[in-house]
Amino acid sequence: MENVSRFESAPNGRYLKDEIDVGRSFLKSLRKMFPNIPIYWKDGNHEKRLESYIISRCEELANLYGMDMPTLMQLQDLDITYIPEQKVAKFGHLWIAHGHELGLRSGTVNIARQVRMRVGVNIMFGHWHKNQTDSSRNLADEVHTAWAVGSLCYLKPRYTGVLNQ
């Protein structure tokens, strides 16, 4: 969603349609590899860019059919369950969040530890574009772990400078 971001985008030849096509192709491949396994789409802040762009530039298109991520990414056709932004999902003893809905700042050094301490449950999350793990045992002899799972995006975006973890 770089072309509809509020941040400056580089004239790199990538367009919104191309990004959507790549996403659809990835999801189709994923479904083909795992035909009988549940797949979930978890919206994050980047997916929200399209909605924000439309509302700020042409609010009349906001409720137009097909202008939402589940439709654009053909999630229903691929039997992929949609989990909207700001909703945290739970699968057994594991919670899954995009990460930005947890209310922590991006400058945090050890984000996995901060998230584990904040939520006190087993949680997997993204948003910070880092791979980290932090575990701790409490007095009830329960182990809680937080996993920061990195990013599926381009690994050297302009905003990360020369070193991206």
Side-chain angles (χ1 to χ4, degrees):
M1 298 289 153
E2 183 177 1
N3 290 116
V4 292
S5 171
R6 64 184 169 90
F7 301 106
E8 178 185 343
S9 27
N12 57 11
R14 285 189 286 193
Y15 296 97
L16 182 58
K17 180 190 177 305
D18 299 330
E19 289 183 318
I20 291 169
D21 287 344
V22 168
R24 285 178 177 176
S25 178
F26 171 76
L27 292 174
K28 286 176 186 175
S29 296
L30 193 63
R31 176 48 74 207
K32 188 175 181 180
M33 286 190 298
F34 303 103
N36 302 315
I37 294 177
I39 299 174
Y40 298 87
W41 172 284
K42 175 67 180 94
D43 253 0
N45 58 311
H46 288 233
E47 292 78 14
K48 197 71 174 166
R49 289 176 176 178
L50 180 60
E51 179 183 327
S52 299
Y53 183 88
I54 291 169
I55 288 171
S56 69
R57 301 241 161 84
C58 191
E59 190 175 351
E60 296 79 12
L61 296 178
N63 289 324
L64 189 63
Y65 294 108
M67 299 299 286
D68 58 281
M69 289 308 294
T71 304
L72 287 170
M73 300 311 295
Q74 303 172 333
L75 299 183
Q76 187 173 4
D77 297 343
L78 295 168
D79 191 26
I80 296 175
T81 302
Y82 174 73
I83 301 171
E85 183 191 34
Q86 300 300 336
K87 182 166 174 60
V88 178
K90 184 178 181 194
F91 300 93
H93 295 288
L94 178 66
W95 292 81
I96 297 178
H98 173 72
H100 71 295
E101 62 271 86
L102 300 175
L104 294 165
R105 300 274 181 222
S106 61
T108 305
V109 174
N110 189 337
I111 193 61
R113 182 175 186 273
Q114 291 296 313
V115 168
R116 181 193 52 79
M117 291 174 63
R118 173 169 279 209
V119 301
V121 296
N122 294 311
I123 187 165
M124 183 178 292
F125 62 96
H127 185 67
W128 276 272
H129 300 217
K130 294 179 180 181
N131 292 310
Q132 292 182 346
T133 304
D134 185 78
S135 295
S136 182
R137 183 181 311 274
N138 64 21
L139 285 175
D141 208 28
E142 302 165 326
V143 175
H144 292 155
T145 303
W147 293 270
V149 294
S151 173
L152 291 175
C153 71
Y154 177 59
L155 296 178
K156 293 194 177 198
R158 289 179 320 284
Y159 57 82
T160 63
V162 295
L163 182 60
N164 183 17
Q165 299 298 325

